[in-house]
Amino acid sequence: MKFPYGISDFKSIVTEEYFYCDRTEKIPLLENTKSQLFIRPRRFGKSLVLSMLENYYDVAKKDEFESIFGNLKIGENPTDLRNSYFILKFDFSCVDPTGSAEEVKKALFDHINDCIKEFILYYGEYNLPDIEVNRNNAISSIKSLVSSVRMTPYPVYLLIDEYDNFANTVMMGVQSTEKRYEALVHDEGPLRTFFKAVKSSTSGSMFDRVFITGVSPVVMSDITSGYNIAKNIYFQPKFNNLCGFKENEVRRVIEQIVAECKFGAEKTDEALNLMKTYYDGYLFAFGSDEYIYNPTLCLYFFEQFQEMCSYPREMLDDNLATDESKLEYIAQIPRGRDLLMSLMEKDQQVVASGISKRFGIREMLSDKSRDNTFLVSFLYYFGVLTIAGETEELQVILKVPNLVMKSLYVERIQKMLLPEPEDRDDGREAAKLVYQKGEMAPLCRFMEERYFKVFHNRDYRWANELTLKTAFLTLLYNDIIYIMDSETEIDRRYADLTMIIRPDKRYGKIFDVLIEFKFVKLKNAGMSADQVTGLTDDELCQIPEIAKQIKDGEKQVKEYGKKLEQRHGNLRLQKFVVVALGFERVCFRKI
């Protein structure tokens, strides 16, 4: 089996017998609307959808229809519109978004003109009237193309990939580019003018159909009057799985690789559970109950598993690691820092009034508009959050989709709370001793002496054991070795933090870890910060309120540990109760 990692050419994938999850049955549904905007996170297969449409509707590929689509679902019952269009395709990811507004305009116009030149060469046998390519004015080139096509029996299907490429640069906090972006999308800027020209051409039926992909609705919001005819289809349940893999599709591939590698049948469930934990969890539409796997990450896993008969050492593909920049942008916003912290707490969920379908660049760069709805909408569009359901009050629940995305959160929070690299390195070294040696004392000392200084600058009134757990989690987190899980459900109760060694890493000399966290406020212990500073560790643990919390935690840890042993078997479990007294001291008990 060949996997098309990094390949988005539909014809090559199908004819060269690469692995492909058939989505051609969606083509008749897409024909119901002539101009569409489809949004999904980056590296989620949008370009492959465009390539599918290109191959299906291209008049020049009429003789190849059977070889390309004959074995696919649409081949059994094709629509009347198959192979009946000229295809004009723009890919705005090819447009350099840096430089001055004039330089960006030139890069955009050069790309449009280059695509039109390619169009002329590709359809040369159709005797098109001369199309004049104006290197100084790509809008004029478009108008010339439309005039020429009008003289033929074939209209144009316009495909635009990554239409919001330039805006994404601005989103990531490059605020010095705001004026350049404004020059492109407002008044008579080239982006607005381009989309006005597209809109004008649709009214004459020369651009009979338009399909646009992107990551967010930002640009479309900013050019509304320039192009207000695109139907947003990205929230529709019937297109929830247009991109991405379904679980039964993932399972079939795993079964085949397991057979090739001559593993036992139980390996299928093991591998599927691992992929589900790290790559599943995306829901893009209300009304759909089918969670989707990230396709790029799945292909990354499949290739490694098939070639080496072992799982990837790191479950996060480096090509998606850049998504952390979205979290960095959010972390720069005061309210965004609080959102990231809260997402590390129970279930990694957040509630919002809704997901905004419209926000422009002004909203992105204005402190006044960056409210909770904006923040969660931004993270939703970039795949860092996903739909998890609704509350009884019909508010939207969003969650971190999987362990890969959670690792990006943890890394960003660690940098947010410990900005100095030396502190992060020392903290991680102390954390290693917990799972390498079963020693908790160095990590607790690090918390007291260095990490808690960060929390003194936060609002102490709202501190609780979840705040404490977040601090420890940011240092202990290691998804290369462990399946990390905070709030693990055990018999309808929740263990604070479990670190279960990945099934393919159990050969190492390391421990599984279970930690229960407790938090005692200074006033509840009847003590001041000055009073606790000089206490020995034994004296600290003998404070009545702390002793009570240790006793309660010990009972919980024993119960959870027993259940975890029954669930997983063969664990080398180190169990701890960790109790913080304010943001001053930490007491622990190894069970």
Side-chain angles (χ1 to χ4, degrees), residues 24 27-28 56 65 69-70 72-80 82:
T24 58
I27 290 176
Y56 182 78
F65 181 84
F69 292 96
L72 300 175
K73 294 173 184 176
I74 194 67
E76 300 171 5
N77 190 22
T79 65
D80 294 338
R82 73 173 191 184

Side-chain angles (χ1 to χ4, degrees), residues 479-498:
D479 62 352
I480 295 176
I481 300 174
Y482 291 98
I483 296 177
M484 304 286 303
D485 198 354
S486 57
E487 299 297 327
T488 307
E489 184 176 356
I490 302 175
D491 286 355
R492 299 185 181 180
R493 300 175 67 190
Y494 293 89
D496 282 343
L497 178 61
T498 62

Side-chain angles (χ1 to χ4, degrees), residues 23 25 64 160 169 256 281 294 330 333 361 433 495 500 513 539 560 564 573:
R23 295 292 183 271
E25 81 279 6
E64 300 178 77
I160 305 176
T169 302
Q256 185 167 335
N294 181 299
I330 293 294
I333 306 169
I361 207 68
L433 294 175
I500 305 299
V513 178
E539 290 170 338
Y560 294 153
L564 285 172
L573 194 60

Side-chain angles (χ1 to χ4, degrees), residues 43-56:
R43 301 304 297 264
F44 228 90
K46 300 185 296 296
S47 296
L48 182 58
V49 171
L50 280 185
S51 184
M52 174 184 75
L53 297 176
E54 177 183 2
N55 280 272
Y56 182 78

